[in-house]
Amino acid sequence: MAKEKNQLRWGERIAFIGGEVYGGGAVPILSGIYFTFLTLVIKISPAVAGTIVLASKLWDAITDPLMGVVSDNTRSKYGRRRPYLFLGSILVVFAMMLLFAPGFMSPERINDPLDPLKITFALTTYLFYNTVSTIFNVPYVSLTSEFSTNVNERSLVNAIRIVVAMISGGICFMFPTMVVDSLIDEKITLNQFYWITTIVFGLYFAIPMLCVALFTKERVPYNKEEKVKFSFKQFIQPLKVKSFAMLMVMYVFSFACMDLVASNLISFVKFAIGGVNATLVYVALMATGGCAMPILQIIMSKGVSKNSIFKFGIPFYILGVTGMAFYPSGWNPNFVYIFAAIAGIGFGCVQMIPWLIFPDLVDVGELKLKKPNAGSFSGIMTFMRKVASGLGVFIIGIGLEAAHFDADQTVQSDEAILALRLVMFLPVVSFLVIALIASFAMKMTKRMHANVKELLDIQREQGNLDNLTKEQEEKYREIEKKLF
């Protein structure tokens, strides 16, 4: 690839990719470890714990689109996104410290699953954490379509970024899980648990986040005079782009599956199967997905569409999850890891593709809406991601509550064990089928995006599309029919 004037330096590529240390790592901590902390450590009722997570998404419905509009409207010498990336990198350590602070409440409050002060404090600190996440993630996601105008470079960097996200996700599930297990087994004190989870992982997130703020910048041109007002209409405007709306369906339902698996995995392995290491199951899933990504990138470079890769992964995901969900207790645990690896192939496909398609559809949105508003697109993208996470945890909480799951018992009832298996299977398979259906309605191809870029370059240069050739007019009509 020829070196272009606006191409990223390697240092900037590395700094930008490093932002996914937080983007990928925060998800397993919040969807898996934090739910376990709420139910098994501070002993909040599973249904209430799931409700806390889901209720926070109502707050995200305000903060995510608001952050998108705020960053779109920001005009500073550092650009529109970087001031918020810097602020998020500073606040994340404090947010982590507050997140696990309820563990220091009195034993009386800890042992009361419905204590109002404990529940209120947990909800408040979780809302603050989500706000900090929004401050960083919305501008960061905006940059995924703005750090380069070179499509090939953008795709390559975003693909590597997703691999880093998966590696960080594995780290942030494996080590915190070990720490939580050690706390539950009384091998470490609550004080030791607190400082490990807050300071160690707070800094693990903060340092790469700070590097993104210091060393990356946006390159897609924008009107420095024009600003937009925050409104519900502005929030939902990206969903008026048909292809982007279909991508959101693919994204929400496929990503919710990972939250369902991660949130349920520790309790599922411990009570439903036995003799299986939850950390190794997660690592098998993540490692297979991570190894699949470079292969998928090579396949796409040969002309296979991104959407085809997404469709290819769904059956593997369903097969692997089904095998894990109904694996008999006491059987050879090695086969559980094999099923996890099979699920990992599908996971790698559905994890990577929505993020690779996202910048392409931001281009489609700019072409249709006549303005570059990546902040609005990223605002709804991050909001949908949090909805997926909240939905997954809420389903688990309600399911376990209905089956009378008891965190104080080392052996669960047959009813509770069946609930653990069904929660691992039914919503995951249902969500994957919905995502698969949406992928058939999402018509973006490599050829179509090349046409979008051609017309978008004309629109950026001339300010309109009034003087198109006949061939270009035909391309626009096809885009309008299939993508708008």
mmCIF file of all heavy atoms in Angstrom, residues 343-380:
data_model
loop_
_atom_site.group_PDB
_atom_site.id
_atom_site.type_symbol
_atom_site.label_atom_id
_atom_site.label_comp_id
_atom_site.label_asym_id
_atom_site.label_seq_id
_atom_site.Cartn_x
_atom_site.Cartn_y
_atom_site.Cartn_z
ATOM 1 N N ALA A 343 -17.119 -22.820 19.901
ATOM 2 C CA ALA A 343 -17.861 -21.564 20.072
ATOM 3 C C ALA A 343 -16.958 -20.370 19.791
ATOM 4 O O ALA A 343 -17.408 -19.337 19.272
ATOM 5 C CB ALA A 343 -18.439 -21.473 21.479
ATOM 6 N N GLY A 344 -15.671 -20.509 20.111
ATOM 7 C CA GLY A 344 -14.722 -19.421 19.900
ATOM 8 C C GLY A 344 -14.552 -19.050 18.436
ATOM 9 O O GLY A 344 -14.314 -17.883 18.114
ATOM 10 N N ILE A 345 -14.662 -20.049 17.539
ATOM 11 C CA ILE A 345 -14.585 -19.750 16.105
ATOM 12 C C ILE A 345 -15.712 -18.797 15.712
ATOM 13 O O ILE A 345 -15.504 -17.775 15.056
ATOM 14 C CB ILE A 345 -14.653 -21.041 15.277
ATOM 15 C CG1 ILE A 345 -13.448 -21.943 15.584
ATOM 16 C CG2 ILE A 345 -14.711 -20.720 13.781
ATOM 17 C CD1 ILE A 345 -13.533 -23.322 14.945
ATOM 18 N N GLY A 346 -16.930 -19.155 16.145
ATOM 19 C CA GLY A 346 -18.063 -18.282 15.863
ATOM 20 C C GLY A 346 -17.953 -16.952 16.563
ATOM 21 O O GLY A 346 -18.276 -15.905 15.991
ATOM 22 N N PHE A 347 -17.477 -16.975 17.791
ATOM 23 C CA PHE A 347 -17.304 -15.752 18.558
ATOM 24 C C PHE A 347 -16.351 -14.795 17.855
ATOM 25 O O PHE A 347 -16.603 -13.587 17.789
ATOM 26 C CB PHE A 347 -16.786 -16.105 19.954
ATOM 27 C CG PHE A 347 -16.318 -14.917 20.749
ATOM 28 C CD1 PHE A 347 -17.210 -14.000 21.247
ATOM 29 C CD2 PHE A 347 -14.962 -14.737 20.994
ATOM 30 C CE1 PHE A 347 -16.777 -12.903 21.980
ATOM 31 C CE2 PHE A 347 -14.514 -13.652 21.721
ATOM 32 C CZ PHE A 347 -15.429 -12.730 22.213
ATOM 33 N N GLY A 348 -15.258 -15.333 17.319
ATOM 34 C CA GLY A 348 -14.296 -14.501 16.608
ATOM 35 C C GLY A 348 -14.921 -13.804 15.411
ATOM 36 O O GLY A 348 -14.656 -12.626 15.150
ATOM 37 N N CYS A 349 -15.793 -14.519 14.709
ATOM 38 C CA CYS A 349 -16.457 -13.927 13.537
ATOM 39 C C CYS A 349 -17.411 -12.815 13.941
ATOM 40 O O CYS A 349 -17.360 -11.707 13.402
ATOM 41 C CB CYS A 349 -17.211 -15.003 12.767
ATOM 42 S SG CYS A 349 -16.170 -16.295 12.018
ATOM 43 N N VAL A 350 -18.297 -13.105 14.891
ATOM 44 C CA VAL A 350 -19.323 -12.116 15.230
ATOM 45 C C VAL A 350 -18.741 -10.971 16.062
ATOM 46 O O VAL A 350 -19.302 -9.863 16.084
ATOM 47 C CB VAL A 350 -20.514 -12.761 15.982
ATOM 48 C CG1 VAL A 350 -21.118 -13.893 15.169
ATOM 49 C CG2 VAL A 350 -20.121 -13.258 17.361
ATOM 50 N N GLN A 351 -17.619 -11.216 16.741
ATOM 51 C CA GLN A 351 -16.985 -10.150 17.523
ATOM 52 C C GLN A 351 -16.277 -9.149 16.618
ATOM 53 O O GLN A 351 -16.285 -7.955 16.881
ATOM 54 C CB GLN A 351 -15.962 -10.758 18.497
ATOM 55 C CG GLN A 351 -15.314 -9.772 19.452
ATOM 56 C CD GLN A 351 -16.167 -9.499 20.679
ATOM 57 O OE1 GLN A 351 -17.243 -10.056 20.817
ATOM 58 N NE2 GLN A 351 -15.678 -8.647 21.554
ATOM 59 N N MET A 352 -15.666 -9.623 15.561
ATOM 60 C CA MET A 352 -14.843 -8.770 14.718
ATOM 61 C C MET A 352 -15.662 -7.989 13.693
ATOM 62 O O MET A 352 -15.442 -6.786 13.493
ATOM 63 C CB MET A 352 -13.796 -9.619 13.985
ATOM 64 C CG MET A 352 -12.937 -8.817 13.007
ATOM 65 S SD MET A 352 -11.602 -9.781 12.279
ATOM 66 C CE MET A 352 -12.513 -10.933 11.268
ATOM 67 N N ILE A 353 -16.608 -8.642 13.053
ATOM 68 C CA ILE A 353 -17.222 -8.075 11.858
ATOM 69 C C ILE A 353 -18.022 -6.792 12.107
ATOM 70 O O ILE A 353 -17.880 -5.826 11.338
ATOM 71 C CB ILE A 353 -18.087 -9.139 11.152
ATOM 72 C CG1 ILE A 353 -17.192 -10.285 10.654
ATOM 73 C CG2 ILE A 353 -18.858 -8.516 10.001
ATOM 74 C CD1 ILE A 353 -16.045 -9.839 9.766
ATOM 75 N N PRO A 354 -18.874 -6.706 13.124
ATOM 76 C CA PRO A 354 -19.611 -5.439 13.302
ATOM 77 C C PRO A 354 -18.709 -4.220 13.424
ATOM 78 O O PRO A 354 -19.029 -3.143 12.905
ATOM 79 C CB PRO A 354 -20.413 -5.679 14.588
ATOM 80 C CG PRO A 354 -20.620 -7.153 14.616
ATOM 81 C CD PRO A 354 -19.342 -7.721 14.081
ATOM 82 N N TRP A 355 -17.555 -4.386 14.091
ATOM 83 C CA TRP A 355 -16.649 -3.249 14.248
ATOM 84 C C TRP A 355 -15.921 -2.909 12.952
ATOM 85 O O TRP A 355 -15.537 -1.762 12.734
ATOM 86 C CB TRP A 355 -15.643 -3.530 15.362
ATOM 87 C CG TRP A 355 -16.255 -3.377 16.715
ATOM 88 C CD1 TRP A 355 -16.547 -4.367 17.613
ATOM 89 C CD2 TRP A 355 -16.682 -2.156 17.330
ATOM 90 N NE1 TRP A 355 -17.118 -3.835 18.734
ATOM 91 C CE2 TRP A 355 -17.220 -2.490 18.598
ATOM 92 C CE3 TRP A 355 -16.680 -0.820 16.934
ATOM 93 C CZ2 TRP A 355 -17.736 -1.536 19.470
ATOM 94 C CZ3 TRP A 355 -17.190 0.134 17.803
ATOM 95 C CH2 TRP A 355 -17.714 -0.225 19.051
ATOM 96 N N LEU A 356 -15.721 -3.902 12.086
ATOM 97 C CA LEU A 356 -15.105 -3.617 10.795
ATOM 98 C C LEU A 356 -16.101 -2.981 9.835
ATOM 99 O O LEU A 356 -15.731 -2.185 8.970
ATOM 100 C CB LEU A 356 -14.547 -4.906 10.183
ATOM 101 C CG LEU A 356 -13.372 -5.568 10.911
ATOM 102 C CD1 LEU A 356 -12.858 -6.749 10.112
ATOM 103 C CD2 LEU A 356 -12.245 -4.575 11.172
ATOM 104 N N ILE A 357 -17.380 -3.322 9.982
ATOM 105 C CA ILE A 357 -18.403 -2.737 9.125
ATOM 106 C C ILE A 357 -18.765 -1.325 9.585
ATOM 107 O O ILE A 357 -19.127 -0.469 8.773
ATOM 108 C CB ILE A 357 -19.660 -3.635 9.099
ATOM 109 C CG1 ILE A 357 -19.330 -5.005 8.484
ATOM 110 C CG2 ILE A 357 -20.796 -2.991 8.308
ATOM 111 C CD1 ILE A 357 -20.489 -5.986 8.498
ATOM 112 N N PHE A 358 -18.666 -1.063 10.879
ATOM 113 C CA PHE A 358 -19.096 0.219 11.441
ATOM 114 C C PHE A 358 -18.517 1.440 10.718
ATOM 115 O O PHE A 358 -19.266 2.333 10.307
ATOM 116 C CB PHE A 358 -18.764 0.270 12.934
ATOM 117 C CG PHE A 358 -18.980 1.627 13.562
ATOM 118 C CD1 PHE A 358 -20.260 2.081 13.826
ATOM 119 C CD2 PHE A 358 -17.904 2.444 13.875
ATOM 120 C CE1 PHE A 358 -20.467 3.332 14.398
ATOM 121 C CE2 PHE A 358 -18.095 3.693 14.441
ATOM 122 C CZ PHE A 358 -19.386 4.143 14.705
ATOM 123 N N PRO A 359 -17.177 1.545 10.518
ATOM 124 C CA PRO A 359 -16.657 2.730 9.816
ATOM 125 C C PRO A 359 -17.217 2.874 8.400
ATOM 126 O O PRO A 359 -17.430 4.001 7.924
ATOM 127 C CB PRO A 359 -15.142 2.498 9.799
ATOM 128 C CG PRO A 359 -14.876 1.541 10.913
ATOM 129 C CD PRO A 359 -16.084 0.655 10.937
ATOM 130 N N ASP A 360 -17.443 1.744 7.729
ATOM 131 C CA ASP A 360 -18.009 1.803 6.378
ATOM 132 C C ASP A 360 -19.406 2.426 6.400
ATOM 133 O O ASP A 360 -19.762 3.213 5.517
ATOM 134 C CB ASP A 360 -18.090 0.394 5.775
ATOM 135 C CG ASP A 360 -16.725 -0.274 5.662
ATOM 136 O OD1 ASP A 360 -15.715 0.442 5.767
ATOM 137 O OD2 ASP A 360 -16.682 -1.499 5.476
ATOM 138 N N LEU A 361 -20.192 2.087 7.416
ATOM 139 C CA LEU A 361 -21.554 2.594 7.482
ATOM 140 C C LEU A 361 -21.604 4.022 8.019
ATOM 141 O O LEU A 361 -22.595 4.734 7.776
ATOM 142 C CB LEU A 361 -22.420 1.663 8.330
ATOM 143 C CG LEU A 361 -22.600 0.258 7.725
ATOM 144 C CD1 LEU A 361 -23.561 -0.566 8.544
ATOM 145 C CD2 LEU A 361 -23.087 0.341 6.277
ATOM 146 N N VAL A 362 -20.577 4.453 8.729
ATOM 147 C CA VAL A 362 -20.464 5.881 9.062
ATOM 148 C C VAL A 362 -20.300 6.683 7.770
ATOM 149 O O VAL A 362 -20.866 7.770 7.621
ATOM 150 C CB VAL A 362 -19.292 6.132 10.028
ATOM 151 C CG1 VAL A 362 -19.034 7.634 10.199
ATOM 152 C CG2 VAL A 362 -19.588 5.513 11.398
ATOM 153 N N ASP A 363 -19.524 6.129 6.824
ATOM 154 C CA ASP A 363 -19.396 6.770 5.507
ATOM 155 C C ASP A 363 -20.741 6.838 4.796
ATOM 156 O O ASP A 363 -21.085 7.857 4.182
ATOM 157 C CB ASP A 363 -18.392 5.994 4.643
ATOM 158 C CG ASP A 363 -16.960 6.138 5.131
ATOM 159 O OD1 ASP A 363 -16.672 7.085 5.872
ATOM 160 O OD2 ASP A 363 -16.126 5.280 4.770
ATOM 161 N N VAL A 364 -21.505 5.737 4.874
ATOM 162 C CA VAL A 364 -22.835 5.722 4.259
ATOM 163 C C VAL A 364 -23.720 6.791 4.898
ATOM 164 O O VAL A 364 -24.450 7.518 4.208
ATOM 165 C CB VAL A 364 -23.489 4.331 4.408
ATOM 166 C CG1 VAL A 364 -24.928 4.356 3.879
ATOM 167 C CG2 VAL A 364 -22.682 3.275 3.663
ATOM 168 N N GLY A 365 -23.646 6.898 6.226
ATOM 169 C CA GLY A 365 -24.430 7.893 6.929
ATOM 170 C C GLY A 365 -24.067 9.310 6.527
ATOM 171 O O GLY A 365 -24.946 10.172 6.349
ATOM 172 N N GLU A 366 -22.764 9.578 6.366
ATOM 173 C CA GLU A 366 -22.335 10.913 5.941
ATOM 174 C C GLU A 366 -22.836 11.219 4.535
ATOM 175 O O GLU A 366 -23.248 12.347 4.241
ATOM 176 C CB GLU A 366 -20.811 11.021 6.000
ATOM 177 C CG GLU A 366 -20.300 12.408 5.630
ATOM 178 C CD GLU A 366 -18.786 12.532 5.694
ATOM 179 O OE1 GLU A 366 -18.129 11.616 6.239
ATOM 180 O OE2 GLU A 366 -18.252 13.534 5.170
ATOM 181 N N LEU A 367 -22.817 10.206 3.664
ATOM 182 C CA LEU A 367 -23.294 10.405 2.300
ATOM 183 C C LEU A 367 -24.791 10.715 2.285
ATOM 184 O O LEU A 367 -25.240 11.614 1.564
ATOM 185 C CB LEU A 367 -23.010 9.150 1.463
ATOM 186 C CG LEU A 367 -23.356 9.227 -0.020
ATOM 187 C CD1 LEU A 367 -22.482 10.252 -0.726
ATOM 188 C CD2 LEU A 367 -23.205 7.851 -0.674
ATOM 189 N N LYS A 368 -25.570 10.013 3.105
ATOM 190 C CA LYS A 368 -27.020 10.218 3.118
ATOM 191 C C LYS A 368 -27.406 11.507 3.842
ATOM 192 O O LYS A 368 -28.247 12.277 3.362
ATOM 193 C CB LYS A 368 -27.718 9.034 3.781
ATOM 194 C CG LYS A 368 -29.230 9.220 3.880
ATOM 195 C CD LYS A 368 -29.927 8.036 4.522
ATOM 196 C CE LYS A 368 -31.440 8.303 4.602
ATOM 197 N NZ LYS A 368 -32.189 7.167 5.171
ATOM 198 N N LEU A 369 -26.785 11.742 5.021
ATOM 199 C CA LEU A 369 -27.201 12.860 5.867
ATOM 200 C C LEU A 369 -26.484 14.162 5.539
ATOM 201 O O LEU A 369 -26.776 15.198 6.127
ATOM 202 C CB LEU A 369 -26.975 12.488 7.335
ATOM 203 C CG LEU A 369 -27.683 11.204 7.809
ATOM 204 C CD1 LEU A 369 -27.263 10.864 9.226
ATOM 205 C CD2 LEU A 369 -29.192 11.346 7.715
ATOM 206 N N LYS A 370 -25.500 14.092 4.631
ATOM 207 C CA LYS A 370 -24.779 15.281 4.140
ATOM 208 C C LYS A 370 -23.908 15.948 5.201
ATOM 209 O O LYS A 370 -23.574 17.132 5.070
ATOM 210 C CB LYS A 370 -25.762 16.334 3.586
ATOM 211 C CG LYS A 370 -26.838 15.806 2.671
ATOM 212 C CD LYS A 370 -26.280 15.137 1.439
ATOM 213 C CE LYS A 370 -27.402 14.679 0.503
ATOM 214 N NZ LYS A 370 -26.924 13.886 -0.645
ATOM 215 N N LYS A 371 -23.496 15.209 6.233
ATOM 216 C CA LYS A 371 -22.615 15.788 7.252
ATOM 217 C C LYS A 371 -21.889 14.666 7.979
ATOM 218 O O LYS A 371 -22.422 13.571 8.156
ATOM 219 C CB LYS A 371 -23.403 16.630 8.248
ATOM 220 C CG LYS A 371 -24.523 15.894 8.952
ATOM 221 C CD LYS A 371 -25.316 16.839 9.841
ATOM 222 C CE LYS A 371 -26.498 16.108 10.489
ATOM 223 N NZ LYS A 371 -27.303 17.013 11.337
ATOM 224 N N PRO A 372 -20.639 14.926 8.415
ATOM 225 C CA PRO A 372 -19.882 13.921 9.165
ATOM 226 C C PRO A 372 -20.232 13.988 10.652
ATOM 227 O O PRO A 372 -19.789 14.879 11.364
ATOM 228 C CB PRO A 372 -18.418 14.341 8.925
ATOM 229 C CG PRO A 372 -18.497 15.828 8.725
ATOM 230 C CD PRO A 372 -19.827 16.113 8.100
ATOM 231 N N ASN A 373 -21.052 13.065 11.128
ATOM 232 C CA ASN A 373 -21.438 13.057 12.539
ATOM 233 C C ASN A 373 -21.152 11.697 13.162
ATOM 234 O O ASN A 373 -22.051 11.014 13.659
ATOM 235 C CB ASN A 373 -22.906 13.438 12.707
ATOM 236 C CG ASN A 373 -23.851 12.561 11.888
ATOM 237 O OD1 ASN A 373 -23.420 11.821 11.000
ATOM 238 N ND2 ASN A 373 -25.131 12.633 12.184
ATOM 239 N N ALA A 374 -19.877 11.317 13.112
ATOM 240 C CA ALA A 374 -19.472 10.018 13.657
ATOM 241 C C ALA A 374 -19.790 9.911 15.135
ATOM 242 O O ALA A 374 -20.030 8.815 15.656
ATOM 243 C CB ALA A 374 -17.979 9.799 13.425
ATOM 244 N N GLY A 375 -19.804 11.055 15.856
ATOM 245 C CA GLY A 375 -20.125 11.019 17.275
ATOM 246 C C GLY A 375 -21.521 10.484 17.531
ATOM 247 O O GLY A 375 -21.743 9.722 18.480
ATOM 248 N N SER A 376 -22.489 10.870 16.712
ATOM 249 C CA SER A 376 -23.857 10.367 16.863
ATOM 250 C C SER A 376 -23.910 8.865 16.582
ATOM 251 O O SER A 376 -24.604 8.113 17.280
ATOM 252 C CB SER A 376 -24.802 11.120 15.919
ATOM 253 O OG SER A 376 -24.867 12.487 16.257
ATOM 254 N N PHE A 377 -23.196 8.423 15.557
ATOM 255 C CA PHE A 377 -23.161 6.992 15.240
ATOM 256 C C PHE A 377 -22.481 6.206 16.360
ATOM 257 O O PHE A 377 -22.947 5.144 16.752
ATOM 258 C CB PHE A 377 -22.440 6.766 13.910
ATOM 259 C CG PHE A 377 -23.303 7.027 12.711
ATOM 260 C CD1 PHE A 377 -23.519 8.317 12.258
ATOM 261 C CD2 PHE A 377 -23.916 5.985 12.036
ATOM 262 C CE1 PHE A 377 -24.321 8.568 11.151
ATOM 263 C CE2 PHE A 377 -24.725 6.223 10.923
ATOM 264 C CZ PHE A 377 -24.926 7.527 10.485
ATOM 265 N N SER A 378 -21.368 6.714 16.870
ATOM 266 C CA SER A 378 -20.669 6.008 17.938
ATOM 267 C C SER A 378 -21.460 6.053 19.237
ATOM 268 O O SER A 378 -21.421 5.115 20.032
ATOM 269 C CB SER A 378 -19.275 6.607 18.157
ATOM 270 O OG SER A 378 -19.360 7.940 18.620
ATOM 271 N N GLY A 379 -22.216 7.162 19.456
ATOM 272 C CA GLY A 379 -23.047 7.246 20.653
ATOM 273 C C GLY A 379 -24.081 6.149 20.699
ATOM 274 O O GLY A 379 -24.270 5.485 21.719
ATOM 275 N N ILE A 380 -24.744 5.927 19.571
ATOM 276 C CA ILE A 380 -25.759 4.882 19.548
ATOM 277 C C ILE A 380 -25.115 3.494 19.523
ATOM 278 O O ILE A 380 -25.653 2.533 20.060
ATOM 279 C CB ILE A 380 -26.727 5.079 18.356
ATOM 280 C CG1 ILE A 380 -28.032 4.336 18.627
ATOM 281 C CG2 ILE A 380 -26.119 4.628 17.048
ATOM 282 C CD1 ILE A 380 -29.158 4.735 17.695
#
